[in-house]
Amino acid sequence: MPKIKSVSGAAKRFRKTANGFKHKQSHTSHILTKKSTKRKRKLRPLKQIHAADKALIRRMLPYI
């Protein structure tokens, strides 16, 4: 069987961890003046992918 290509966009956005996948949160790059400091601080850390999305990401990244 031929190898399956990874979805390059997914490879850039998700990293494998022991418990699943982690990703950076959205809404952090521009129009930051109207967002509160608390809101921006909460967006900083990486988050785990929701359990419902794990199968999709696993399919997009077959060898990770």
Side-chain angles (χ1 to χ4, degrees):
M1 287 295 295
K3 286 188 178 179
I4 303 166
K5 281 191 174 183
S6 293
V7 176
S8 63
K12 294 169 192 174
R13 286 174 174 87
F14 305 113
R15 291 285 173 259
K16 184 86 171 81
T17 64
N19 300 323
F21 293 91
K22 63 182 179 179
H23 72 101
K24 191 176 187 318
Q25 295 187 78
S26 58
H27 308 292
T28 58
S29 58
H30 67 290
I31 315 177
L32 298 172
T33 52
K34 64 173 77 170
K35 294 173 186 149
S36 69
T37 309
K38 179 181 177 181
R39 184 173 165 193
K40 290 185 277 191
R41 186 172 62 246
K42 297 274 186 187
L43 290 169
R44 255 184 239 153
L46 297 172
K47 293 282 179 144
Q48 287 288 325
I49 292 296
H50 195 273
D53 298 323
K54 276 186 185 176
L56 278 170
I57 293 163
R58 207 171 284 131
R59 195 181 320 149
M60 287 192 280
L61 303 169
Y63 302 108
I64 293 177

